[in-house]
Amino acid sequence: MAALAPFQPILDPDALIGVRLEGKYELTAHLATGGMGAVFQARHVHLRKDVAVKMLRPELSSAPDLVERFRREAEIASALEHDNIVRVTDFGRSEDGLLYLVMELLTGESLFDRVRREVRIPPGRAVTLLWQVCAGLEAAHQHGVVHRDLKPENVFLARTASGREVVKLLDFGIAKFARAAGEAGTQSGIVVGTPEYLSPEQAMGLPVDARADLYTVGLIAFRMLVGHHPFRTDDQRGLLLQQASTPVPPLAEANPELAAWPALCAAVAKACAKDPGERPASAADLGDLLAAAVGPAFVAPPGATPVGPAALTAAPRPHTPRGGAGAPLKPTPAPFAAAALARLRGLALDGVARLHALRRRTGRRWLLAAATLAAALALAGGGALASRALDGRAAARAEALLADGKAAAALAAAEAGLADRPADPVLLLLRARALAAVPARAGDMLEAYAAAQDAGALAPEDYGAVAALLAKERPLADRAARLLRAASPAAVPAVAALTRGGTAGQRLRAMTVLRDLGAEDAVDRVAVYAGLLGDPDCDVRRAASRRLGELGDKAALPALRTAAAASRTEKKNFFSAPAKVPLCGAAEAGEAVRRIQSVN
């Protein structure tokens, strides 16, 4: 076991690998470094469980206010038990004075990284994430805790072992407990938090309550849906003034595409009200507003933890905004009801397709059969759905044309139906499938599949056409990768299939997507990466070597040693003797060998 050097003025993460903290946590890898310290992966030596360890920089350990902030983060986070809040399990100081706290180990990326990569997140997916943010905040608020420093960097999109994406709120370092009687609060006039995401009351140094966090959720929603922060200035003082007094621009003004989502615009505007009294009464209320604003496009995450005494299911509670613009929002159906409606929709589509074939064969019996279908749907409680099914001849025609291999005609039929019903999930899916069969329309196909995905219409087999684009030019491949990542476990089989064929670049990109999905172990990852070590593309060889080194599996050593020894013979000039020169990528393979041997 490595031993800690005497107290260090500067934190050197690499030098700490192998160190044991208080005999319990062995640091195994450096994950990230920030302004206050570093985060490591560690192994509990007794429980044999991997955890994350956040360590305060040694030079800050003598600053009482920073030490208190670090201790407060551990105290507050450990008191909050909720699926959408990172779990803190321990806090301590090592023998050499290093302060640390122990958290659950998360795999994924921050919301900041997600938005920076995708720029804008479609309303359906954005609200699914924001609803989880609200659920975590509601749990904190019910314990009397106000976060006060919520921002995209502190919202982590974690991947579970099954590939499900779960929001985790991080960094309660400047959070505060609601004041008990006679207890002093934050000193008046002191600005606490990150300026870009401060509430007006924080910007003015006024006392805050839970509604300050709701304003921040509104700003985060704006950033996700529009693609940039509502206020643009490099002057921190000017930014504080804007937070304090300048109204947040309407969503539809900043992104005209959002005009089609008036209830969502109203919900975000309500959260961003400068007066705390005009914001939703609680985080749960804001979550309900957001969920109801996108209607059927919202699906509560599987296994979501409900909050509040009235939250008997994971579905949002019906809510009518007080004083908001527009008509009252429709409550989102409970998961069972939504599933039943989806099933009825599927039956209706199937029935219309069958009737279309029947009409071609029998002529007059079409009307009798259609009437029978309408009556059956009405008896099932789907009168409106029956009407929609009868109007679904465009969908049936598009599906029949696709089956006959007439993609262009199928596309025209689907688009004709979408002109009347632009949000119909069946027509959206049929349009995407038609575009997949039309040459030179890959970009349009991706947009169509994204729209169908937002409508919840994609089946696992549909992701094969999207995954095939990972072999295309970089911009198109990156867009396909984003869509596949958003699909979570549904896309895993299609992406995994690419690792067994295709170009080297396609296989490498497929492995990257699987890693982002938390499903890299769905394939023999050592075999896949080892198979790339001999590829003619130098960048592919380098990337494969680095990843094998990160995996640390001894099974990769033979292939890596061969790659590290690979060389070519060349002459520097006419007079020099031929000499062996390592191939491009050999150095990375050699480093991977050393890394694996050091771990094992």
Side-chain angles (χ1 to χ4, degrees):
M1 179 188 72
L4 276 174
F7 187 83
Q8 307 168 36
I10 298 176
L11 182 66
D12 182 0
D14 292 335
L16 292 173
I17 303 302
V19 166
R20 285 190 181 182
L21 302 176
E22 298 188 280
K24 293 187 292 183
Y25 304 104
E26 182 173 349
L27 305 183
T28 57
H30 171 228
L31 300 179
T33 297
M36 291 187 63
V39 180
F40 298 85
Q41 180 173 332
R43 167 65 60 104
H44 193 297
V45 296
H46 304 303
L47 301 179
R48 309 302 297 169
K49 179 181 180 181
D50 289 327
V51 295
V53 170
K54 184 175 181 180
M55 187 175 294
L56 189 66
R57 298 177 69 90
E59 63 269 30
L60 302 180
S61 296
S62 59
D65 57 336
L66 293 176
V67 172
E68 172 59 19
R69 171 177 169 174
F70 201 66
R71 184 202 64 77
R72 176 179 289 270
E73 179 178 359
E75 176 190 359
I76 291 176
S78 63
L80 302 176
E81 288 288 336
H82 191 271
D83 284 349
N84 298 123
I85 298 176
V86 66
R87 186 168 289 104
V88 172
T89 57
D90 202 358
F91 171 77
R93 186 187 291 267
S94 74
E95 295 86 345
D96 290 300
L98 292 172
L99 283 170
Y100 68 91
L101 60 84
V102 181
M103 305 175 288
E104 61 177 316
L105 182 64
L106 302 176
T107 301
E109 65 179 341
S110 70
L111 180 59
F112 176 84
D113 290 332
R114 174 71 59 82
V115 174
R116 182 172 58 179
R117 188 177 69 248
E118 297 191 11
V119 183
R120 292 179 180 176
I121 298 180
R125 285 201 285 124
V127 168
T128 296
L129 299 177
L130 291 165
W131 185 85
Q132 294 180 74
V133 171
C134 290
L137 285 176
E138 179 71 8
H141 295 166
Q142 288 182 0
H143 282 78
V145 175
V146 183
H147 193 290
R148 299 200 299 173
D149 194 26
L150 196 64
K151 52 189 174 182
E153 295 90 328
N154 288 340
V155 177
F156 195 84
L157 311 181
R159 290 283 177 187
T160 66
S162 64
R164 182 167 63 89
E165 189 170 77
V166 179
V167 167
K168 297 280 187 178
L169 303 186
L170 311 178
D171 197 357
F172 282 79
I174 65 170
K176 58 168 282 188
F177 285 107
R179 279 186 294 168
E183 182 184 356
T186 303
Q187 182 179 350
S188 179
I190 300 298
V191 176
V192 178
T194 302
E196 288 81 356
Y197 293 95
L198 286 179
S199 66
E201 51 269 38
Q202 286 175 279
M204 293 184 287
L206 300 175
V208 301
D209 59 23
R211 293 171 295 180
D213 287 341
L214 305 190
Y215 179 88
T216 302
V217 174
L219 294 185
I220 292 173
F222 189 102
R223 176 70 178 85
M224 295 169 72
L225 295 164
V226 173
H228 60 75
H229 192 277
F231 303 130
R232 297 183 174 184
T233 176
D234 295 328
D235 179 8
Q236 295 294 314
R237 179 178 298 178
L239 182 56
L240 290 176
L241 288 173
Q242 287 181 310
Q243 295 284 34
S245 59
T246 303
V248 174
L251 274 178
E253 180 181 300
N255 178 8
E257 294 179 4
L258 296 173
W261 302 85
L264 178 59
C265 293
V268 173
K270 191 172 182 66
C272 291
K274 295 296 179 180
D275 182 353
E278 296 179 1
R279 296 173 205 153
S282 68
D285 283 351
L286 176 56
D288 289 353
L289 275 174
L290 292 167
V294 296
F298 172 76
V299 179
T305 301
V307 295
L312 301 180
T313 71
R317 300 185 298 277
H319 183 94
T320 301
R322 297 180 295 275
L329 304 178
K330 295 181 180 180
T332 301
F336 177 81
L341 286 174
R343 176 63 176 158
L344 278 173
R345 186 181 295 115
L347 291 172
L349 178 62
D350 180 67
V352 170
R354 291 172 184 271
L355 292 172
H356 184 72
L358 184 64
R359 181 190 62 175
R360 288 183 296 185
R361 294 196 306 269
T362 64
R364 290 182 301 173
R365 276 190 288 172
W366 161 261
L367 293 176
L368 176 60
T372 304
L373 175 63
L377 285 171
L379 288 173
L385 189 59
S387 174
R388 180 174 174 181
L390 291 176
D391 287 336
R393 278 175 270 185
R397 176 170 172 75
E399 189 172 37
L401 289 167
L402 270 178
D404 290 341
K406 300 176 181 178
L411 176 61
E415 290 181 338
L418 286 169
D420 294 327
R421 300 187 302 281
D424 186 284
V426 173
L427 287 169
L428 289 171
L429 178 57
L430 289 169
R431 179 175 184 269
R433 289 176 174 173
L435 282 167
V438 175
R441 296 289 300 272
D444 293 335
M445 181 203 80
L446 268 181
E447 295 296 332
Y449 270 120
Q453 184 182 62
D454 289 341
L458 289 193
E461 57 268 23
D462 290 305
Y463 291 106
V466 179
L469 297 182
L470 294 177
K472 298 293 186 179
E473 61 273 14
R474 186 61 181 267
L476 195 60
D478 287 347
R479 288 169 59 195
R482 287 197 294 270
L483 194 153
L484 293 167
R485 290 188 191 100
S488 195
V492 169
V495 179
L498 287 180
T499 65
R500 297 185 286 272
T503 67
Q506 191 177 35
R507 298 199 303 274
L508 184 61
R509 285 172 177 165
M511 290 302 295
T512 302
V513 173
L514 286 178
R515 185 180 181 185
D516 292 342
L517 290 171
E520 200 178 17
D521 55 358
V523 299
D524 186 345
R525 51 189 183 180
V526 170
V528 174
Y529 285 117
L532 297 173
L533 293 177
D535 191 80
D537 190 322
C538 179
D539 289 336
V540 170
R541 296 198 301 272
R542 284 172 168 167
S545 294
R546 294 191 189 102
R547 184 58 184 145
L548 286 171
E550 292 169 356
L551 293 174
D553 193 324
K554 290 190 294 185
L557 285 174
L560 283 169
R561 289 188 179 115
T562 299
S567 63
R568 69 178 184 275
T569 302
E570 67 175 33
K571 296 176 64 175
K572 292 185 178 179
N573 52 56
F574 180 80
F575 300 100
S576 65
K580 286 188 175 182
V581 178
L583 284 181
C584 176
E588 287 77 8
E591 177 58 32
V593 169
R594 290 187 289 274
R595 183 170 183 177
I596 294 173
Q597 289 175 333
S598 68
V599 173
N600 295 280

